[in-house]
Amino acid sequence: MKRTLSEKRVLRKLGISDFRHMKKENVVKFASMLPYMDPEVAKKALEQFPEFKDLASDLVANYKDIVDRILSENAESQRPFYDVCNSIIATLQAELSMENISSEDRRRIEDNMIEVAKLIGEKDSENKKFLWTMLLTAGTIVGGAFVAAISLLGSNSQYSSDDIDSLSPDELEDVEEIDSV
């Protein structure tokens, strides 16, 4: 014998009169109930859920916002370093343009300029690695949320009696028995 949640019980648990009234706040709760729903109830709910498409759009918009914020905050945090490096190079260039500078001082100034340029290059490489990691992490989180939502929607919605044994008493009270075919 298999057991599933009925439409009436799902609606009651979500606190709505029909699936057209489902809000984005209810999506996680709804998704967690999907494995316990009759497949027809789940399909009917999704057909009536006008915001599911919006959820996917919101995930993409949130990812874009995250990326924009990462780039903006990163630029702000990097600016002081590059300002200091540019100031050092400007000072060294001013020293280098002095007429009474010895060849030994010229070489030292040039070496210092090369060292600052190397620091800038290293910082740039480090920053690109950081950005790539952050973008991949954010993308993975958003993509994972989307895949989880999609996989929940396509999951097998009926469980055997053994699977139902692991439900909490509150969840068990909302489960109906149906005959196996």
Side-chain angles (χ1 to χ4, degrees):
M1 184 175 299
K2 295 186 179 191
R3 302 175 186 201
T4 63
L5 288 173
S6 70
E7 178 179 357
K8 181 179 174 185
R9 290 176 190 227
V10 170
L11 291 171
R12 190 179 77 227
K13 284 188 86 137
L14 293 173
I16 55 178
S17 59
D18 62 40
F19 290 112
R20 283 186 221 107
H21 292 98
M22 190 167 353
K23 301 284 186 232
K24 291 177 187 170
E25 303 84 49
N26 294 356
V27 171
V28 172
K29 192 172 184 179
F30 173 74
S32 69
M33 286 189 263
L34 276 171
Y36 304 104
M37 285 185 214
D38 179 272
E40 294 305 314
V41 171
K43 287 177 189 174
K44 183 178 178 184
L46 292 173
E47 288 170 2
Q48 295 179 38
F49 183 29
E51 294 182 15
F52 186 73
K53 180 185 76 173
D54 295 338
L55 173 65
S57 296
D58 285 350
L59 286 172
V60 172
N62 286 341
Y63 178 70
K64 183 188 178 306
D65 289 345
I66 290 168
V67 169
D68 289 345
R69 194 171 59 245
I70 287 171
L71 292 174
S72 175
E73 290 174 5
N74 183 62
E76 281 299 313
S77 71
Q78 295 296 311
R79 186 168 302 152
F81 173 79
Y82 290 113
D83 288 347
V84 168
C85 288
N86 289 336
S87 175
I88 292 169
I89 288 175
T91 301
L92 292 171
Q93 283 176 333
E95 282 184 41
L96 199 55
S97 65
M98 295 170 54
E99 292 181 17
N100 58 354
I101 191 169
S102 70
S103 61
E104 184 178 301
D105 285 340
R106 182 174 299 282
R107 214 175 8 258
R108 179 189 52 80
I109 293 169
E110 289 170 346
D111 287 345
N112 287 342
M113 290 175 78
I114 291 169
E115 196 60 38
V116 171
K118 284 180 183 177
L119 287 174
I120 291 171
E122 288 171 5
K123 187 67 167 178
D124 185 57
S125 294
E126 175 186 307
N127 188 46
K128 285 178 182 171
K129 286 178 186 175
F130 166 77
L131 288 173
W132 185 246
T133 301
M134 294 306 296
L135 295 175
L136 282 176
T137 301
T140 301
I141 291 168
V142 171
F146 187 72
V147 167
I150 294 300
S151 67
L152 282 173
L153 298 177
S155 67
N156 182 356
S157 298
Q158 292 185 343
Y159 281 71
S160 69
S161 297
D162 295 337
D163 295 327
I164 295 295
D165 291 340
S166 65
L167 293 176
S168 71
D170 289 341
E171 291 172 320
L172 215 71
E173 114 184 2
D174 289 333
V175 174
E176 284 184 354
E177 289 185 17
I178 61 171
D179 293 325
S180 297
V181 178

